[in-house]
Structure formats: C-alpha cells, structure tokens
Amino acid sequence: MSKYAYWLSNIRGLTAYKIARLKQEGYLARDVYGLGESALFHMGFLREEDVEHIILSRKSWNLEREWQHMMEQGIGFVSLEDENYPKKLAAIIHAPYALYYTGSLPDEDKTRVAIVGARTRSAYGELVAEELGKALARSGVDVISGMARGIDADGHRGALDGGGNTYAVLGCGVDVCYPKSNRYLYEKIRCHGGILSEYAPHTQPHAAFFPQRNRIISGLSDYTVVIEARIKSGSLITADFAMEQGREVYALPGRISDSLSQGCNRLIAQGAGAVTSVEDFLKELQLDTTNLCRQINFHKNLLEKDEMMVYSLFDFCPVGLGTLVEQTEYGLSEMLEILGRLEQKGFVKETIPNFYVNTV
C-alpha cells in the first residue's frame, strides 16, 4: 500500500539504492514495516544505523496521520510498487523509488518530448523553444522540462499557449516553487499537467539535486531536445541520461562562434538529430503537422500586402530596423507603422530597441 511506501521513502539515511535492494530481495514496503530487528540485520546490505533508523521510524511515524496530512495538502504519491507509476520512468536504471506530484501524472498513451536548454538564452533560443512547445502541444504531445529560467520555462510556456499539457520535474519538493519568479508558470502547470519530484514535500532546492532530477526529465520522455547549451551545461547531463536510457536526442544547431550553441553542435557531431525546422522535426517524429500548417496559413491570410512583404524578411534571428528599411521600398516612418501593425497582430516583437523577431 502507498502509505507504507511513503513511510519507507522518508526513513532518514535509507538511500534509494538500499530501498531498491530490498525490493530486489522480494521485500515490499509493507513487508519491511513488519520485519523484526534480527531479520533486518541479516539482510547483509543494511548497516546497523540503517536498522536503527527503521526501528525508530516505526515507533515515531504514524502511518495514517502522515498519509492523511500529505493528501490534505493536495500532493499525490506513487512508488515503484504502484501500478500507476509512470512506466517509461520505471524502466530506467536508478528509477526513483518515490514520486510526489501535484496536478496529474503524465498520460501513458501520449508521446512526450523534453525541451531543455540554457537559463541565459538568446532571443532566437527563446522563440524556438516556445514555438516547438506550442507545435508539440497542438500535435497532442506532452512537454516535459524542469521549470528553470530560460529555455525550460519557454518550452513549458509554449506548450500551455498551444493548449496542451506540460510537466515540470523539480529539484525540490513539489510544494516549493523554484525559482520563485516562475510562480505564475508553476500554478498554470499544476492545472494543465503536473509538478513532479522525487524529493519529499518541503524539501528546499539544493545544487546536488538538479543533476539527479535530470534523469527523471529524460526518463519520462520519448525524445529530448536541447535548445542552446554551453559546453558545460546541465542540459547536456539530461542529454547524456537520455542516451544512456536509449532515448533519442535532438539539438538546435547554431553558429560555431556562439558559446550558447557549442554544446548543441557537439551533440549533433556525436550523432544527435538536428532540429532544422519545427515542421520537419514533427514529421521526423511522425506527428501530424496538419494543425500546425493550418494555423500558419490562417495567420498569413490576416496580413496585408505590405505586412506580408516585411514579415517575409524575418526568421528566428533578430533583424535590425535599418536592415528592414534597406531591404524594402519603405521609408523609416512607413516601416515603423508596418512593424507596429505586425506587433499588434502578434507576428513580430521587439526584443531590444530597434531589433525585431518573428513570433509565428
């Protein structure tokens, strides 16, 4: 029963490895709760202090009260002993024994894609992550990430804008919003997906927890996409976990002179797939792009002739106002008026003064 697994996962000093060994030996949490001191000592892999902690915990831990208290906080719990534990995650090496969540667990029948990348990203990376998240959501794919600043948040936001579900794996308790600046996103994800963690409620973020949570991000996903990453990046740890888990990895290529692209370019050199366009990526995953194409065509039909001409000059890289004037027949005042209309319609946005990128 889950309340016994909840107890077992909260015993001080009892590592996930030792809990896994107990399970391998045929002992479920309820069995461990009933074992005598002598039987625990004869396990061989439990130290004296481990046995002492188990015995003390049985005396101090009120199964019903602790379980009810967690439920009252709106926090869900599953363990490797439960049938509704995510199956993709259960199949990886060193799967977390316990998983806490608010909202819901990912749908087993849906494809999942992890979108990860740099916290300090470029305007280009931000746009690609958002557009990819949005397109995946419209194709019925769940987006997984870590709710960090930057690319993680962009991917989540895109999925929400696309009307889909997205799931955030935290390096702290699920009742702790980290970073605090993502509070709005945290609340949205709880309503349209879920917040997950292997760490007990009230656990505060710690640097050592984040590399470990990355194996869960990749383990929950069918594919992992890295959008901008430096050579030494936590996103590359996620990619390494994904490859070890037998999952496919993709990366966004970039200029060799850009430090934010060096990690992605190295992944591609090592055999990762290259994301050259959102539509091609969806096709490679054998996903239906009909909704995406219809959306793009619908938007383009809303543009006037002069707006369409200016819009055609954009890609995901920022374009300067002077460049736009040089490449068209429009003067400065006319160009500003056209850009203003494009901004109002949601086709472009000004990232820094006098530099614009497309958003559709």
Side-chain angles (χ1 to χ4, degrees), residues 270-315:
Q270 292 171 343
V275 178
T276 54
S277 80
V278 171
E279 188 173 356
D280 287 346
F281 177 69
L282 296 186
K283 287 179 179 177
E284 190 155 341
L285 269 55
Q286 298 182 329
L287 298 171
D288 184 10
T289 60
T290 304
N291 290 337
L292 177 64
C293 294
R294 284 178 179 168
Q295 184 76 14
I296 291 171
N297 291 334
F298 172 74
H299 279 308
K300 287 184 177 178
N301 288 335
L302 296 177
L303 295 180
E304 301 296 334
K305 184 178 178 180
D306 57 351
E307 295 168 353
M308 180 67 78
M309 181 177 291
V310 173
Y311 180 71
S312 68
L313 301 175
F314 286 94
D315 55 22

Side-chain angles (χ1 to χ4, degrees), residues 60-75:
S60 61
W61 185 277
N62 186 308
L63 283 173
E64 298 297 339
R65 184 181 63 208
E66 296 291 347
W67 180 254
Q68 186 62 34
H69 178 63
M70 187 182 66
M71 294 295 105
E72 288 172 354
Q73 297 177 73
I75 297 173

Side-chain angles (χ1 to χ4, degrees), residues 122-183:
S122 69
Y124 171 62
E126 176 186 1
L127 280 169
V128 173
E130 285 190 2
E131 288 304 306
L132 182 58
K134 190 184 300 183
L136 287 168
R138 287 174 178 161
S139 297
V141 175
D142 287 344
V143 172
I144 312 291
S145 199
M147 212 183 79
R149 295 185 184 91
I151 295 298
D152 285 21
D154 299 332
H156 287 305
R157 196 178 299 110
L160 293 168
D161 289 345
N165 286 336
T166 185
Y167 297 85
V169 184
L170 305 186
C172 54
V174 295
D175 57 342
V176 178
C177 178
Y178 183 82
K180 292 180 179 179
S181 58
N182 279 344
R183 167 60 68 178

Side-chain angles (χ1 to χ4, degrees), residues 83-101:
E83 289 185 0
N84 59 333
Y85 187 96
K87 291 179 175 56
K88 291 184 179 76
L89 186 61
I92 72 169
I93 298 173
H94 304 310
Y97 173 73
L99 204 60
Y100 300 87
Y101 64 95

